Amino acid sequence: MGYGISAGKGIIWICMPYLNGAGTANVISWWGDPPKYQLQPTIDYCTATVKLICERYGGDSRKVILAGFSRGSIACNYIGLQNDQIASLWRGFICYANYDGLHAWPYPDDDRASAAKRLQRLGRRPQFICQEIVSKPKDALDVTRTYLKQAYPDGNLTFELIPFRNHNDAWTLRDIPSRRALRKWFAEALLAGMAGANDQPPPTFRLVPDGNKPAFELGPNQCRMASCYRDKAGTYHLFTDFMEKVPDSFGAEIRYYRSSDLRNWIFVDTVVKKGAGADADAFGAASPHVLATDKRIYLFYSGRSEPVGGRFDAYARPGQPGYAAGRILLATAAADEQGAPAGAFRKQGVLAEPGDGWDAMRLDDPCAVLEGDTVHLFFKGFDNNRNRDHVRVGYARAALAEMRFTKHSEPILAVPGGGEMPRVFREGGAWHMFYHHFGVGSTWRHHVSEDGLHWRLHDSSFFGGHLTGGPRDIMMIYGMNGTLLEEPEMLVAGSQDGINKLWLYYLRKKGAEGK
């Protein structure tokens, strides 16, 4: 099948086995051992093998296609989309002769409801779904097509009927229209969203200041991290850390301001106050990120719990005196017809907790991107605050209607020296992240991605910080539903006379000469 798809040119193809429950031997029926049919050994083996092939033999980790025949076709989704980590490996899928969720099988979660949840991890990545001519109507390609029309109507799916009754993959060795269709799909899937010979590369950007005067300040008190959006009527809504005189965001609360011109601001309310006792934000609430939809306003923020023993130590680790946990929390308010908050914000609780591995210490700096009905959540996580190499970018996703996030088990971006404050958006069919790198130069760099999970450095000198010095934070100003404005604007934190303030900048694409 691999040879038939690729013609043996320019492609590495491998056949991976299914492992038993102990991960010590191959199995010829399903995966794992009945009746549990354990998946994890096969998932671990598959993930490690893809990594090894790419590193040792020069495979491109951005161009990995998962293909399967019969049991393997079911496994494309059942195993290949089983969790966020393994799902992030694939650029596309070839499913031949069966499909996850169509029929009842002996392994757990074989039902259509479970299969539909796995499908949510597919996103807009393409699948080539094909089937031989069958004698049983329940196995026909049209049954698969009908099922997916209901289960995943917006999927990027291609269907192909193979003109043979043979339940094998020898048709891929024949020069027939079905193989030509598959090879065409395969070539397009590898190039989709990539910068090739006939594609435009992702744009690079620069920040242009709007004058020398700050756009927002709270003197003698302090602000720093902020998030802003413009509603349908053109009104700007700003949510910012509020700190009394000392710029320590661990004790902050979040205030809400409104403006028609990004210069003259009206205080509306303190929308997220500190909690009490064992609340996840009893010590402070900061790092806001706002996502405004037609019906609701979602305010993501970092909550800090009371320190162990009462006295905060920024370097204390879980269980040590002074440790304060950091979690990603949510508050929401109803939206009026213009997309402005229509009432008080109400706390909805914790969205993401520190794990027991790379992000065991704290989570911070949430950034949410809305794609259809899916919310992609990016954040800073770390397990060691003294070693900045350990400060990395994490990822979670949820359906907008439920807001129950599933965290990716591994960081999606780790850079030498560490970094913070991922600012993520979609533009021109690609994902973009402005990311503050620590270390020498301590500058903002621009990373790009085709899927939001695999990132590569695009511009190492995007922005060096505001000229007055102080904080180097940059914050996007969004439109409704988290989109970029027609003329994108950003707020940049800097310091003047010992007070943190926000300056207005315009986000511009660099010209062909890079100026």
Side-chain angles (χ1 to χ4, degrees):
M1 191 171 176
Y3 182 80
I5 294 169
S6 67
K9 298 177 181 179
I11 299 294
I12 302 170
W13 77 87
I14 59 172
C15 298
M16 291 184 288
Y18 307 98
L19 303 187
N20 63 6
T24 57
N26 299 356
V27 295
I28 60 174
S29 178
W30 299 117
W31 34 77
D33 304 317
K36 293 184 178 180
Y37 296 95
Q38 303 93 334
L39 275 176
Q40 199 59 47
T42 299
I43 289 174
D44 292 344
Y45 178 87
C46 176
T47 304
T49 300
V50 170
K51 184 174 185 290
L52 181 146
I53 292 294
C54 291
E55 292 179 351
R56 183 173 297 180
Y57 299 103
D60 188 338
S61 63
R62 299 171 299 161
K63 298 183 179 182
V64 182
I65 303 290
L66 183 62
F69 161 53
S70 194
R71 170 178 52 152
S73 181
I74 296 171
C76 282
N77 286 10
Y78 187 76
I79 295 177
L81 297 176
Q82 183 65 218
N83 59 47
D84 283 345
Q85 181 181 6
I86 193 169
S88 70
L89 298 178
W90 321 117
R91 187 169 193 81
F93 303 76
I94 299 170
C95 307
Y96 168 48
N98 225 314
Y99 199 84
D100 181 34
L102 279 184
H103 306 303
W105 301 107
Y107 51 79
D109 298 326
D110 63 328
D111 58 283
R112 291 195 171 189
S114 298
K117 291 181 180 179
R118 291 188 284 273
L119 266 175
Q120 295 305 309
R121 298 189 179 98
L122 177 62
R124 287 291 298 165
R125 288 175 293 180
Q127 285 195 337
F128 188 92
I129 302 165
C130 49
Q131 178 76 48
E132 77 271 27
I133 298 172
V134 296
S135 57
K136 297 179 180 179
K138 69 181 182 65
D139 295 329
L141 182 65
D142 281 344
V143 174
T144 307
R145 194 196 312 265
T146 300
Y147 159 64
L148 286 169
K149 188 175 182 179
Q150 298 172 344
Y152 208 59
D154 297 325
N156 184 5
L157 311 176
T158 299
F159 297 90
E160 181 73 22
L161 180 64
I162 309 305
F164 296 102
R165 294 185 179 274
N166 312 62
H167 187 65
N168 63 43
D169 53 4
W171 65 271
T172 61
L173 303 178
R174 297 173 180 266
D175 185 15
I176 59 174
S178 292
R179 189 181 74 171
R180 290 195 290 272
L182 175 55
R183 286 186 174 180
K184 180 176 181 293
W185 175 93
F186 184 70
E188 291 173 350
L190 291 180
L191 291 175
M194 306 291 291
N198 298 317
D199 300 314
Q200 292 296 321
T204 52
F205 297 92
R206 60 193 176 103
L207 283 175
V208 179
D210 180 34
N212 297 319
K213 293 183 179 180
F216 180 85
E217 59 180 298
L218 292 173
N221 298 307
Q222 304 276 1
C223 62
R224 180 173 173 180
M225 305 282 270
S227 187
C228 185
Y229 79 95
R230 189 180 72 192
D231 68 20
K232 301 172 188 176
T235 300
Y236 293 89
H237 305 267
L238 176 70
F239 301 83
T240 180
D241 296 350
F242 174 80
M243 299 156 284
E244 291 187 2
K245 298 184 180 180
V246 179
D248 180 3
S249 65
F250 272 89
E253 295 184 321
I254 299 174
R255 287 191 170 188
Y256 165 35
Y257 296 81
R258 185 178 294 172
S259 173
S260 60
D261 59 6
L262 285 171
R263 293 291 179 183
N264 300 285
W265 295 93
I266 299 172
F267 171 67
V268 180
D269 195 9
T270 301
V271 291
V272 180
K273 298 179 180 179
K274 296 179 186 179
D279 290 348
D281 56 2
F283 191 50
S287 305
H289 176 93
V290 65
L291 172 62
T293 69
D294 292 335
K295 294 183 179 180
R296 299 202 69 76
I297 313 300
Y298 299 88
L299 184 60
F300 302 82
Y301 66 98
S302 176
R304 288 77 185 261
S305 61
E306 285 287 358
V308 175
R311 184 174 180 178
F312 175 61
D313 178 354
Y315 298 105
R317 303 177 75 173
Q320 295 179 341
Y323 170 69
R327 303 174 175 90
I328 307 302
L329 283 75
L330 177 68
T332 65
D336 66 19
E337 61 182 11
Q338 298 299 333
F345 279 81
R346 299 185 182 278
K347 295 181 180 181
Q348 304 299 322
V350 176
L351 298 181
E353 297 261 10
D356 55 6
W358 72 272
D359 61 348
M361 192 168 173
R362 267 191 291 277
L363 309 183
D364 204 343
D365 300 343
C367 178
V369 178
L370 182 62
E371 183 185 34
D373 295 325
T374 299
V375 179
H376 304 271
L377 180 63
F378 303 85
F379 54 87
K380 174 179 76 176
F382 53 92
D383 64 353
N384 185 336
N385 205 19
R386 293 187 183 276
N387 186 344
R388 288 196 163 187
D389 278 326
H390 287 229
V391 185
R392 303 161 183 166
V393 180
Y395 169 81
R397 62 182 287 158
L400 178 64
E402 298 178 355
M403 282 294 184
R404 296 176 182 173
F405 282 85
T406 300
K407 279 174 59 184
H408 201 286
S409 60
E410 299 294 330
I412 61 167
L413 181 62
V415 300
E420 63 180 354
M421 293 180 258
R423 308 304 191 207
V424 184
F425 61 97
R426 299 289 305 275
E427 200 276 339
W431 293 78
H432 300 263
M433 180 193 298
F434 299 143
Y435 188 49
H436 183 204
H437 286 231
F438 299 142
V440 179
S442 186
T443 186
W444 284 86
R445 302 182 184 182
H446 178 195
H447 298 257
V448 295
S449 171
E450 283 78 41
D451 59 7
L453 294 174
H454 301 87
W455 295 87
R456 65 184 187 276
L457 182 63
H458 184 57
D459 183 357
S460 62
S461 56
F462 163 63
F463 184 62
H466 187 65
L467 295 177
T468 62
R472 297 170 179 266
D473 313 347
I474 65 175
M475 286 76 67
M476 309 290 298
I477 299 177
Y478 296 95
M480 295 298 296
N481 299 305
T483 58
L484 285 184
L485 299 176
E486 301 81 15
E487 295 186 5
E489 300 165 320
M490 301 190 75
L491 293 169
V492 175
S495 181
Q496 189 178 57
D497 301 323
I499 302 295
N500 287 348
K501 303 176 183 180
L502 303 180
W503 276 262
L504 179 64
Y505 279 69
Y506 295 100
L507 183 65
R508 299 285 187 255
K509 291 182 181 179
K510 291 183 179 179
E513 294 79 21
K515 295 181 179 179

